Amino acid sequence: MASTLDFDDKAARHIDAIYSTPDIAATRVAVFRALNPSCGETALDLGCGPGYMLRDLAASVGATGQAIGVDISDPMLALAKHRCEGLPQVRLERADALTLPVPDASVDLACVMQVYAYVTELDAALAELRRVLKPGGRAIILDTDFAGVVWESRDRARMRRVMQAYDAHVAWPDLPRILPARLRKAGLTMARVEAVPVVTTHYHAHSYVHGIARFIHAFVVNHGITKDEADAWLAEFDALEAEGAFLFSVNRFMFTVGRG
Ligand SMILES: C[S@@+](CC[C@H](N)C(=O)[O-])C[C@H]1O[C@@H](n2cnc3c(N)ncnc32)[C@H](O)[C@@H]1O
């Protein structure tokens, strides 16, 4: 299995909650517009996770189209199945990004959001994406580069230590920076790249930063950060919010890709 993180039941529920926030819904709108799906098309959501985008793609390609959701995590596929109930054009498959259960040149549009950073064999995964795209087909690849995070803390050395430890949760923490060269190597063309920012001065329960802070906390306590330090790192955000001093910003990079 070519992935650095096991999206078990707990992680899947955590991601589902984070992805229900308006911050991530706004990212999906940007990706959806760039994909521009139409009736009758075949759409692939690779690493479909809890199925938010898959549901929108399925509703857009309609009964004459097909929306294929692929993921390696059974808990994620269960969430996607529930979310896409009543949409017979949805097909869900448990498979790896390296071996997609899709014929050659059969996909009009694909989206791969927050997935390739976890895939150790990136070049093989990009070659597999190229294999399934139709000539003229398009794909959106979206990933985050946490090296560009701007996150207020009065203990900046601790913030650096925590974020450095969090890098280990993915195979490619710098994926947006290395992707242009990797796309070219895979024979894919890059039509456009845009930054989709998540920026906020509030730390509240229905926000991306609140959810991702807990996700980071859970990861780093097992990867070189003591529980006391991770607890103190997390607790500071409520204190900053209470003072009106909180700020978080990160860019999610959206690449529009063609088969070449
Ligand atoms: C952070 S979630 C993103 C979910 C979804 N793309 C979204 O943005 O809402 C990452 C997903 O990629 C899946 N994944 C990771 N490595 C994979 C691989 N090698 N093949 C297929 N899916 C993979 C995980 O199981 C998880 O559901």
Side-chain angles (χ1 to χ4, degrees):
M1 191 165 68
S3 184
T4 48
L5 201 70
D6 177 20
F7 285 89
D8 59 11
D9 207 41
K10 189 171 169 214
R13 277 186 281 111
H14 200 148
I15 290 288
D16 191 12
I18 296 173
Y19 285 13
S20 73
T21 61
D23 299 316
I24 300 305
T27 305
R28 279 195 298 276
V29 169
V31 172
F32 182 86
R33 286 189 177 147
L35 279 170
N36 197 22
S38 64
C39 285
E41 287 192 306
T42 296
L44 169 68
D45 189 352
L46 171 49
C48 63
Y52 288 98
M53 180 60 99
L54 185 63
R55 180 189 54 194
D56 285 341
L57 291 175
S60 308
V61 300
T64 57
Q66 194 176 29
I68 307 161
V70 170
D71 207 288
I72 43 166
S73 155
D74 285 325
M76 284 294 198
L77 287 165
L79 290 171
K81 184 173 179 210
H82 179 67
R83 187 146 286 119
C84 295
E85 250 167 26
L87 292 164
Q89 63 272 43
V90 170
R91 172 159 75 90
L92 284 164
E93 298 277 358
R94 187 185 193 287
D96 195 302
L98 302 180
T99 50
L100 296 172
V102 179
D104 293 357
S106 61
V107 166
D108 294 292
L109 61 114
C111 81
V112 196
M113 297 191 299
Q114 296 290 151
V115 179
Y116 283 147
Y118 297 100
V119 179
T120 47
E121 293 169 63
L122 178 60
D123 293 331
L126 291 172
E128 183 64 351
L129 175 65
R130 186 176 186 281
R131 177 186 73 76
V132 303
L133 280 180
K134 286 182 184 175
R138 68 243 187 234
I140 297 292
I141 300 173
L142 177 123
D143 259 290
T144 310
D145 191 334
F146 272 93
V149 75
V150 176
W151 199 344
E152 172 56 351
S153 171
R154 304 266 156 83
D155 188 339
R156 294 188 178 179
R158 181 179 65 200
M159 174 63 87
R160 273 194 298 279
R161 282 194 299 278
V162 169
M163 295 314 291
Q164 203 170 359
Y166 185 55
D167 273 354
H169 90 291
V170 283
W172 309 100
D174 54 356
L175 187 95
R177 279 173 280 166
I178 64 169
L179 197 58
R182 298 303 185 104
L183 290 172
R184 205 166 38 249
K185 193 171 163 193
L188 291 160
T189 55
M190 189 177 59
R192 194 172 159 83
V193 60
E194 289 154 84
V196 186
V198 176
V199 55
T200 180
T201 53
H202 288 293
Y203 185 70
H204 60 70
H206 195 42
S207 66
Y208 169 75
V209 63
H210 195 274
I212 207 70
R214 275 154 182 72
F215 197 78
I216 292 170
H217 178 276
F219 182 84
V220 298
V221 288
N222 297 312
H223 293 82
I225 303 290
T226 65
K227 182 158 184 321
D228 282 353
E229 182 164 42
D231 288 351
W233 172 81
L234 190 62
E236 188 189 14
F237 303 132
D238 282 319
L240 290 170
E241 169 72 7
E243 266 183 60
F246 184 78
L247 183 135
F248 170 88
S249 169
V250 73
N251 281 327
R252 308 180 98 205
F253 290 90
M254 182 170 89
F255 292 82
T256 304
V257 166
R259 190 181 160 184

